[in-house]
Amino acid sequence: MLRAATLCAMGILALGVSACSGSGRGDGQGGSGPAASGGTSKTGGSGSGGSSANGGAGSGGVGTGGRTGTGGATGSGGLTGSGGGSSSGGVVGTGGSVGVGGSVGVGGSVGVGGSVGSGGSLGTTSVGTGGIVGSGGVVGTGGRIGSGGTTGRGGAVGNGGVVGTGGATPGTGGTTTTSTTPPGACQESTCGSHKWACWPVPTPPSEKLTHPQNYADLGNGAVRDNVTCLVWEKANPSTQGTWQASADRCAALGTSSYAGFNDWRLPTRVEMASLIDPTLGRTAYASPPFTTTSGAYATGSYWWETIQGINGANLAWGYGANGMTSNAYSLAGTNFVARCVRGNGTGEAPNALAVEPANHYTVVNGETTDNYTGLVWQSGFSPTLMAWADAPAYCTSLTLNGHTGFRVPTLGELSSTVNEARVGNAVVLSAFPGTPNGCKDPKYWFWAAESQSATADWGLSYCDGFTGTNVGTTNNGVNDWDYFPTANVRCVRNGP
């Protein structure tokens, strides 16, 4: 672990730790200033070129002709097409079930949140005509759909289930979808961590990638994320207060069994990141279904130095209304609000280091597969720093192990790689070797796919995982925390 003197020298503590500078960051993210109302972001939409390259969705949208069973009966002797069925004789599972339990999620529909990939669409290529269910769609024992396309956690709609090869199918028209999938359709994660993404990473619907954000309004003041299976408070009170006041309010929701659940808590950094859609501008949370207030959204993630008891640090990760995150929010500050969350089993306490889940990454010849999100990453990164506008071409041209289809990751996808148990180069080094170790320099920043305006592009610093736009300046060799006119890019593709 880095010593305090090293952190000061690297500039980490310039993000708000009083032991170095004696004050908070004062840049809209740090100390007493929320990233939402006083942040650096500019008004404006996604900006030119704000969409991820090669992220196009297949035509047909979600679920058009794509309900399991239509044209491909799964009952007794249910054949998958004429001569084209998977498994012996084309029987779809035992008794026609897809995987254990016999259904693809509750309700059996594949589409909303559970996209069918290229070559595996249940929309444009209907089940029954030719019997093709995905690429090589074996729907027999174990309920596998397509090449490597497991239905995910128990067949949940869109949860963990990378259905088909690169299955990209956004919501209708590429907008955030509000689903009518009944409660219980999601099977929650039990990986033992709330500080790592043990679920597919939701993506902005306008970018037309896999796992577009998809929510179900439960009609009781709560909203279920059909991708992560987390259940969120729909509207948070606007009254601001300390971090502890926000934590206590979420705990009180559990005590009162709000919306029928007793395990309400503050969300962690990566859980809040799953809600962010940077293409929406200054309010980066989908509305509907959410109502967003001003203030810094508190998280159940203390900063590394605070957990370690170094330098008297008293900081937690927080999110602004515009989606910018920082570790520079003082626990004693009075500008916190909270969007409480529940679900996905047990996890770390706010003052505990992130616990990496078992079998997290598989690394093969320069490719790193996240076995929980299903994303396949470039283990390294670009050989040189580059402008944001040049990053898509670099990723499009990348070939690793014969694999193409790489693209610039979304801000949420980048956030899923952050290891909160480290600073300096806040990653799992065995999965991402060579990640630069330091802070407050462009070489520690990595581009995201989104831009906030024509002059403000999103990135993430592996100093410890904070995000921002490249609007900072440098003066006499001293860089603002968000100064990165050029940056690295670490490309990603959809697995398998």
Side-chain angles (χ1 to χ4, degrees), residues 441-468:
D441 191 90
K443 66 183 178 182
Y444 306 122
W445 283 89
F446 285 72
W447 290 123
E450 298 89 2
S451 63
Q452 190 173 76
S453 71
T455 58
D457 309 307
W458 282 99
L460 179 144
S461 172
Y462 281 119
C463 169
D464 52 16
F466 54 84
T467 63

PDB file of all heavy atoms in Angstrom, residues 441-468:
ATOM      1  N   ASP A 441      -1.975  13.770 -13.978  1.00  0.00           N
ATOM      2  CA  ASP A 441      -1.247  13.876 -15.233  1.00  0.00           C
ATOM      3  C   ASP A 441      -2.072  13.156 -16.290  1.00  0.00           C
ATOM      4  O   ASP A 441      -2.736  12.151 -15.982  1.00  0.00           O
ATOM      5  CB  ASP A 441       0.136  13.229 -15.117  1.00  0.00           C
ATOM      6  CG  ASP A 441       1.013  13.557 -16.319  1.00  0.00           C
ATOM      7  OD1 ASP A 441       1.729  14.583 -16.267  1.00  0.00           O
ATOM      8  OD2 ASP A 441       0.969  12.794 -17.303  1.00  0.00           O
ATOM      9  N   PRO A 442      -2.069  13.627 -17.529  1.00  0.00           N
ATOM     10  CA  PRO A 442      -2.874  12.966 -18.566  1.00  0.00           C
ATOM     11  C   PRO A 442      -2.596  11.476 -18.713  1.00  0.00           C
ATOM     12  O   PRO A 442      -3.503  10.709 -19.075  1.00  0.00           O
ATOM     13  CB  PRO A 442      -2.499  13.734 -19.832  1.00  0.00           C
ATOM     14  CG  PRO A 442      -2.166  15.108 -19.349  1.00  0.00           C
ATOM     15  CD  PRO A 442      -1.485  14.895 -18.032  1.00  0.00           C
ATOM     16  N   LYS A 443      -1.378  11.026 -18.424  1.00  0.00           N
ATOM     17  CA  LYS A 443      -1.053   9.616 -18.648  1.00  0.00           C
ATOM     18  C   LYS A 443      -1.781   8.673 -17.700  1.00  0.00           C
ATOM     19  O   LYS A 443      -1.772   7.459 -17.896  1.00  0.00           O
ATOM     20  CB  LYS A 443       0.444   9.391 -18.547  1.00  0.00           C
ATOM     21  CG  LYS A 443       1.032   9.611 -17.163  1.00  0.00           C
ATOM     22  CD  LYS A 443       2.549   9.430 -17.203  1.00  0.00           C
ATOM     23  CE  LYS A 443       3.199   9.686 -15.845  1.00  0.00           C
ATOM     24  NZ  LYS A 443       4.663   9.565 -15.917  1.00  0.00           N
ATOM     25  N   TYR A 444      -2.434   9.212 -16.674  1.00  0.00           N
ATOM     26  CA  TYR A 444      -3.188   8.375 -15.753  1.00  0.00           C
ATOM     27  C   TYR A 444      -4.676   8.323 -16.111  1.00  0.00           C
ATOM     28  O   TYR A 444      -5.453   7.628 -15.449  1.00  0.00           O
ATOM     29  CB  TYR A 444      -3.026   8.881 -14.319  1.00  0.00           C
ATOM     30  CG  TYR A 444      -1.577   9.006 -13.911  1.00  0.00           C
ATOM     31  CD1 TYR A 444      -1.055  10.221 -13.487  1.00  0.00           C
ATOM     32  CD2 TYR A 444      -0.721   7.914 -13.979  1.00  0.00           C
ATOM     33  CE1 TYR A 444       0.287  10.348 -13.136  1.00  0.00           C
ATOM     34  CE2 TYR A 444       0.625   8.020 -13.637  1.00  0.00           C
ATOM     35  CZ  TYR A 444       1.120   9.239 -13.218  1.00  0.00           C
ATOM     36  OH  TYR A 444       2.445   9.357 -12.876  1.00  0.00           O
ATOM     37  N   TRP A 445      -5.059   9.049 -17.151  1.00  0.00           N
ATOM     38  CA  TRP A 445      -6.459   9.105 -17.574  1.00  0.00           C
ATOM     39  C   TRP A 445      -6.699   8.152 -18.753  1.00  0.00           C
ATOM     40  O   TRP A 445      -5.824   7.931 -19.589  1.00  0.00           O
ATOM     41  CB  TRP A 445      -6.827  10.524 -18.010  1.00  0.00           C
ATOM     42  CG  TRP A 445      -7.054  11.452 -16.856  1.00  0.00           C
ATOM     43  CD1 TRP A 445      -6.111  12.213 -16.219  1.00  0.00           C
ATOM     44  CD2 TRP A 445      -8.287  11.718 -16.200  1.00  0.00           C
ATOM     45  NE1 TRP A 445      -6.685  12.936 -15.210  1.00  0.00           N
ATOM     46  CE2 TRP A 445      -8.021  12.656 -15.170  1.00  0.00           C
ATOM     47  CE3 TRP A 445      -9.601  11.263 -16.381  1.00  0.00           C
ATOM     48  CZ2 TRP A 445      -9.026  13.134 -14.323  1.00  0.00           C
ATOM     49  CZ3 TRP A 445     -10.602  11.742 -15.539  1.00  0.00           C
ATOM     50  CH2 TRP A 445     -10.308  12.669 -14.525  1.00  0.00           C
ATOM     51  N   PHE A 446      -7.931   7.629 -18.806  1.00  0.00           N
ATOM     52  CA  PHE A 446      -8.361   6.740 -19.889  1.00  0.00           C
ATOM     53  C   PHE A 446      -9.705   7.238 -20.415  1.00  0.00           C
ATOM     54  O   PHE A 446     -10.608   7.571 -19.639  1.00  0.00           O
ATOM     55  CB  PHE A 446      -8.489   5.292 -19.382  1.00  0.00           C
ATOM     56  CG  PHE A 446      -7.165   4.617 -19.173  1.00  0.00           C
ATOM     57  CD1 PHE A 446      -6.342   4.981 -18.115  1.00  0.00           C
ATOM     58  CD2 PHE A 446      -6.734   3.612 -20.030  1.00  0.00           C
ATOM     59  CE1 PHE A 446      -5.108   4.363 -17.909  1.00  0.00           C
ATOM     60  CE2 PHE A 446      -5.507   2.991 -19.843  1.00  0.00           C
ATOM     61  CZ  PHE A 446      -4.689   3.364 -18.779  1.00  0.00           C
ATOM     62  N   TRP A 447      -9.809   7.269 -21.748  1.00  0.00           N
ATOM     63  CA  TRP A 447     -11.015   7.803 -22.384  1.00  0.00           C
ATOM     64  C   TRP A 447     -12.216   6.888 -22.210  1.00  0.00           C
ATOM     65  O   TRP A 447     -12.098   5.666 -22.247  1.00  0.00           O
ATOM     66  CB  TRP A 447     -10.785   8.028 -23.870  1.00  0.00           C
ATOM     67  CG  TRP A 447      -9.862   9.139 -24.234  1.00  0.00           C
ATOM     68  CD1 TRP A 447      -8.727   9.052 -24.989  1.00  0.00           C
ATOM     69  CD2 TRP A 447     -10.003  10.531 -23.891  1.00  0.00           C
ATOM     70  NE1 TRP A 447      -8.144  10.290 -25.138  1.00  0.00           N
ATOM     71  CE2 TRP A 447      -8.914  11.215 -24.475  1.00  0.00           C
ATOM     72  CE3 TRP A 447     -10.940  11.257 -23.155  1.00  0.00           C
ATOM     73  CZ2 TRP A 447      -8.741  12.590 -24.334  1.00  0.00           C
ATOM     74  CZ3 TRP A 447     -10.764  12.629 -23.016  1.00  0.00           C
ATOM     75  CH2 TRP A 447      -9.680  13.283 -23.597  1.00  0.00           C
ATOM     76  N   ALA A 448     -13.372   7.513 -22.065  1.00  0.00           N
ATOM     77  CA  ALA A 448     -14.667   6.842 -22.165  1.00  0.00           C
ATOM     78  C   ALA A 448     -15.291   7.209 -23.502  1.00  0.00           C
ATOM     79  O   ALA A 448     -14.834   8.115 -24.200  1.00  0.00           O
ATOM     80  CB  ALA A 448     -15.585   7.256 -21.017  1.00  0.00           C
ATOM     81  N   ALA A 449     -16.352   6.512 -23.859  1.00  0.00           N
ATOM     82  CA  ALA A 449     -16.970   6.710 -25.174  1.00  0.00           C
ATOM     83  C   ALA A 449     -17.753   8.015 -25.275  1.00  0.00           C
ATOM     84  O   ALA A 449     -17.977   8.513 -26.373  1.00  0.00           O
ATOM     85  CB  ALA A 449     -17.894   5.533 -25.485  1.00  0.00           C
ATOM     86  N   GLU A 450     -18.180   8.567 -24.130  1.00  0.00           N
ATOM     87  CA  GLU A 450     -19.122   9.673 -24.167  1.00  0.00           C
ATOM     88  C   GLU A 450     -18.427  11.034 -24.063  1.00  0.00           C
ATOM     89  O   GLU A 450     -17.345  11.148 -23.475  1.00  0.00           O
ATOM     90  CB  GLU A 450     -20.128   9.552 -23.008  1.00  0.00           C
ATOM     91  CG  GLU A 450     -20.974   8.305 -23.050  1.00  0.00           C
ATOM     92  CD  GLU A 450     -20.336   7.117 -22.317  1.00  0.00           C
ATOM     93  OE1 GLU A 450     -19.235   7.288 -21.742  1.00  0.00           O
ATOM     94  OE2 GLU A 450     -20.934   6.028 -22.325  1.00  0.00           O
ATOM     95  N   SER A 451     -19.066  12.030 -24.621  1.00  0.00           N
ATOM     96  CA  SER A 451     -18.648  13.415 -24.419  1.00  0.00           C
ATOM     97  C   SER A 451     -19.822  14.181 -23.832  1.00  0.00           C
ATOM     98  O   SER A 451     -20.983  13.801 -24.012  1.00  0.00           O
ATOM     99  CB  SER A 451     -18.196  14.061 -25.729  1.00  0.00           C
ATOM    100  OG  SER A 451     -19.262  14.114 -26.653  1.00  0.00           O
ATOM    101  N   GLN A 452     -19.517  15.234 -23.108  1.00  0.00           N
ATOM    102  CA  GLN A 452     -20.575  16.045 -22.506  1.00  0.00           C
ATOM    103  C   GLN A 452     -20.925  17.245 -23.371  1.00  0.00           C
ATOM    104  O   GLN A 452     -22.047  17.740 -23.348  1.00  0.00           O
ATOM    105  CB  GLN A 452     -20.150  16.507 -21.109  1.00  0.00           C
ATOM    106  CG  GLN A 452     -21.260  17.152 -20.314  1.00  0.00           C
ATOM    107  CD  GLN A 452     -20.822  17.432 -18.890  1.00  0.00           C
ATOM    108  OE1 GLN A 452     -20.072  18.373 -18.653  1.00  0.00           O
ATOM    109  NE2 GLN A 452     -21.262  16.624 -17.953  1.00  0.00           N
ATOM    110  N   SER A 453     -19.952  17.709 -24.134  1.00  0.00           N
ATOM    111  CA  SER A 453     -20.160  18.824 -25.053  1.00  0.00           C
ATOM    112  C   SER A 453     -19.069  18.752 -26.102  1.00  0.00           C
ATOM    113  O   SER A 453     -18.238  17.840 -26.097  1.00  0.00           O
ATOM    114  CB  SER A 453     -20.114  20.163 -24.303  1.00  0.00           C
ATOM    115  OG  SER A 453     -18.787  20.436 -23.887  1.00  0.00           O
ATOM    116  N   ALA A 454     -19.063  19.732 -26.992  1.00  0.00           N
ATOM    117  CA  ALA A 454     -18.064  19.739 -28.053  1.00  0.00           C
ATOM    118  C   ALA A 454     -16.653  19.904 -27.514  1.00  0.00           C
ATOM    119  O   ALA A 454     -15.675  19.583 -28.190  1.00  0.00           O
ATOM    120  CB  ALA A 454     -18.375  20.860 -29.047  1.00  0.00           C
ATOM    121  N   THR A 455     -16.516  20.376 -26.282  1.00  0.00           N
ATOM    122  CA  THR A 455     -15.187  20.613 -25.714  1.00  0.00           C
ATOM    123  C   THR A 455     -14.974  19.895 -24.389  1.00  0.00           C
ATOM    124  O   THR A 455     -14.007  20.169 -23.680  1.00  0.00           O
ATOM    125  CB  THR A 455     -14.964  22.116 -25.492  1.00  0.00           C
ATOM    126  OG1 THR A 455     -15.993  22.635 -24.629  1.00  0.00           O
ATOM    127  CG2 THR A 455     -14.980  22.860 -26.816  1.00  0.00           C
ATOM    128  N   ALA A 456     -15.860  18.970 -24.030  1.00  0.00           N
ATOM    129  CA  ALA A 456     -15.753  18.274 -22.743  1.00  0.00           C
ATOM    130  C   ALA A 456     -16.027  16.792 -22.951  1.00  0.00           C
ATOM    131  O   ALA A 456     -17.176  16.402 -23.220  1.00  0.00           O
ATOM    132  CB  ALA A 456     -16.728  18.866 -21.723  1.00  0.00           C
ATOM    133  N   ASP A 457     -14.992  15.985 -22.842  1.00  0.00           N
ATOM    134  CA  ASP A 457     -15.090  14.545 -23.087  1.00  0.00           C
ATOM    135  C   ASP A 457     -14.821  13.793 -21.785  1.00  0.00           C
ATOM    136  O   ASP A 457     -13.963  14.161 -20.987  1.00  0.00           O
ATOM    137  CB  ASP A 457     -14.070  14.127 -24.140  1.00  0.00           C
ATOM    138  CG  ASP A 457     -14.146  14.997 -25.382  1.00  0.00           C
ATOM    139  OD1 ASP A 457     -15.257  15.136 -25.929  1.00  0.00           O
ATOM    140  OD2 ASP A 457     -13.108  15.556 -25.797  1.00  0.00           O
ATOM    141  N   TRP A 458     -15.530  12.697 -21.595  1.00  0.00           N
ATOM    142  CA  TRP A 458     -15.467  11.958 -20.344  1.00  0.00           C
ATOM    143  C   TRP A 458     -14.246  11.035 -20.297  1.00  0.00           C
ATOM    144  O   TRP A 458     -13.842  10.452 -21.296  1.00  0.00           O
ATOM    145  CB  TRP A 458     -16.722  11.118 -20.155  1.00  0.00           C
ATOM    146  CG  TRP A 458     -17.912  11.894 -19.690  1.00  0.00           C
ATOM    147  CD1 TRP A 458     -18.944  12.359 -20.451  1.00  0.00           C
ATOM    148  CD2 TRP A 458     -18.203  12.294 -18.349  1.00  0.00           C
ATOM    149  NE1 TRP A 458     -19.855  13.028 -19.673  1.00  0.00           N
ATOM    150  CE2 TRP A 458     -19.430  13.002 -18.372  1.00  0.00           C
ATOM    151  CE3 TRP A 458     -17.546  12.133 -17.129  1.00  0.00           C
ATOM    152  CZ2 TRP A 458     -20.006  13.538 -17.225  1.00  0.00           C
ATOM    153  CZ3 TRP A 458     -18.126  12.667 -15.980  1.00  0.00           C
ATOM    154  CH2 TRP A 458     -19.340  13.361 -16.033  1.00  0.00           C
ATOM    155  N   GLY A 459     -13.704  10.903 -19.109  1.00  0.00           N
ATOM    156  CA  GLY A 459     -12.616   9.964 -18.875  1.00  0.00           C
ATOM    157  C   GLY A 459     -12.614   9.503 -17.432  1.00  0.00           C
ATOM    158  O   GLY A 459     -13.369   9.991 -16.589  1.00  0.00           O
ATOM    159  N   LEU A 460     -11.748   8.521 -17.153  1.00  0.00           N
ATOM    160  CA  LEU A 460     -11.589   7.984 -15.797  1.00  0.00           C
ATOM    161  C   LEU A 460     -10.099   7.937 -15.470  1.00  0.00           C
ATOM    162  O   LEU A 460      -9.294   7.523 -16.306  1.00  0.00           O
ATOM    163  CB  LEU A 460     -12.200   6.591 -15.694  1.00  0.00           C
ATOM    164  CG  LEU A 460     -12.098   5.869 -14.343  1.00  0.00           C
ATOM    165  CD1 LEU A 460     -13.359   5.035 -14.079  1.00  0.00           C
ATOM    166  CD2 LEU A 460     -10.862   4.954 -14.277  1.00  0.00           C
ATOM    167  N   SER A 461      -9.745   8.379 -14.274  1.00  0.00           N
ATOM    168  CA  SER A 461      -8.363   8.328 -13.825  1.00  0.00           C
ATOM    169  C   SER A 461      -8.173   7.123 -12.915  1.00  0.00           C
ATOM    170  O   SER A 461      -8.890   6.972 -11.914  1.00  0.00           O
ATOM    171  CB  SER A 461      -7.990   9.596 -13.062  1.00  0.00           C
ATOM    172  OG  SER A 461      -6.704   9.449 -12.470  1.00  0.00           O
ATOM    173  N   TYR A 462      -7.200   6.284 -13.273  1.00  0.00           N
ATOM    174  CA  TYR A 462      -6.900   5.141 -12.421  1.00  0.00           C
ATOM    175  C   TYR A 462      -6.023   5.541 -11.235  1.00  0.00           C
ATOM    176  O   TYR A 462      -5.523   4.669 -10.519  1.00  0.00           O
ATOM    177  CB  TYR A 462      -6.215   4.041 -13.231  1.00  0.00           C
ATOM    178  CG  TYR A 462      -7.177   3.221 -14.049  1.00  0.00           C
ATOM    179  CD1 TYR A 462      -7.076   3.165 -15.438  1.00  0.00           C
ATOM    180  CD2 TYR A 462      -8.199   2.503 -13.443  1.00  0.00           C
ATOM    181  CE1 TYR A 462      -7.958   2.417 -16.190  1.00  0.00           C
ATOM    182  CE2 TYR A 462      -9.089   1.746 -14.183  1.00  0.00           C
ATOM    183  CZ  TYR A 462      -8.966   1.704 -15.558  1.00  0.00           C
ATOM    184  OH  TYR A 462      -9.841   0.960 -16.295  1.00  0.00           O
ATOM    185  N   CYS A 463      -5.853   6.843 -11.008  1.00  0.00           N
ATOM    186  CA  CYS A 463      -5.274   7.287  -9.743  1.00  0.00           C
ATOM    187  C   CYS A 463      -6.001   6.562  -8.616  1.00  0.00           C
ATOM    188  O   CYS A 463      -5.390   5.965  -7.748  1.00  0.00           O
ATOM    189  CB  CYS A 463      -5.422   8.792  -9.611  1.00  0.00           C
ATOM    190  SG  CYS A 463      -5.044   9.438  -7.978  1.00  0.00           S
ATOM    191  N   ASP A 464      -7.335   6.630  -8.653  1.00  0.00           N
ATOM    192  CA  ASP A 464      -8.135   5.779  -7.778  1.00  0.00           C
ATOM    193  C   ASP A 464      -9.547   5.548  -8.312  1.00  0.00           C
ATOM    194  O   ASP A 464     -10.351   4.893  -7.660  1.00  0.00           O
ATOM    195  CB  ASP A 464      -8.185   6.310  -6.347  1.00  0.00           C
ATOM    196  CG  ASP A 464      -8.606   7.765  -6.268  1.00  0.00           C
ATOM    197  OD1 ASP A 464      -9.143   8.283  -7.262  1.00  0.00           O
ATOM    198  OD2 ASP A 464      -8.387   8.394  -5.217  1.00  0.00           O
ATOM    199  N   GLY A 465      -9.813   6.048  -9.507  1.00  0.00           N
ATOM    200  CA  GLY A 465     -11.087   5.724 -10.140  1.00  0.00           C
ATOM    201  C   GLY A 465     -12.058   6.870 -10.295  1.00  0.00           C
ATOM    202  O   GLY A 465     -13.205   6.658 -10.710  1.00  0.00           O
ATOM    203  N   PHE A 466     -11.632   8.110  -9.989  1.00  0.00           N
ATOM    204  CA  PHE A 466     -12.569   9.216 -10.163  1.00  0.00           C
ATOM    205  C   PHE A 466     -12.772   9.517 -11.643  1.00  0.00           C
ATOM    206  O   PHE A 466     -11.922   9.212 -12.477  1.00  0.00           O
ATOM    207  CB  PHE A 466     -12.122  10.469  -9.387  1.00  0.00           C
ATOM    208  CG  PHE A 466     -10.735  10.945  -9.667  1.00  0.00           C
ATOM    209  CD1 PHE A 466     -10.469  11.767 -10.744  1.00  0.00           C
ATOM    210  CD2 PHE A 466      -9.683  10.601  -8.830  1.00  0.00           C
ATOM    211  CE1 PHE A 466      -9.188  12.237 -11.005  1.00  0.00           C
ATOM    212  CE2 PHE A 466      -8.396  11.064  -9.066  1.00  0.00           C
ATOM    213  CZ  PHE A 466      -8.146  11.880 -10.155  1.00  0.00           C
ATOM    214  N   THR A 467     -13.885  10.110 -11.957  1.00  0.00           N
ATOM    215  CA  THR A 467     -14.240  10.422 -13.336  1.00  0.00           C
ATOM    216  C   THR A 467     -14.403  11.925 -13.502  1.00  0.00           C
ATOM    217  O   THR A 467     -14.613  12.659 -12.541  1.00  0.00           O
ATOM    218  CB  THR A 467     -15.544   9.725 -13.761  1.00  0.00           C
ATOM    219  OG1 THR A 467     -16.637  10.223 -12.956  1.00  0.00           O
ATOM    220  CG2 THR A 467     -15.441   8.220 -13.576  1.00  0.00           C
ATOM    221  N   GLY A 468     -14.303  12.372 -14.743  1.00  0.00           N
ATOM    222  CA  GLY A 468     -14.471  13.789 -15.025  1.00  0.00           C
ATOM    223  C   GLY A 468     -14.375  14.054 -16.507  1.00  0.00           C
ATOM    224  O   GLY A 468     -14.210  13.134 -17.314  1.00  0.00           O
TER     225      GLY A 468
END
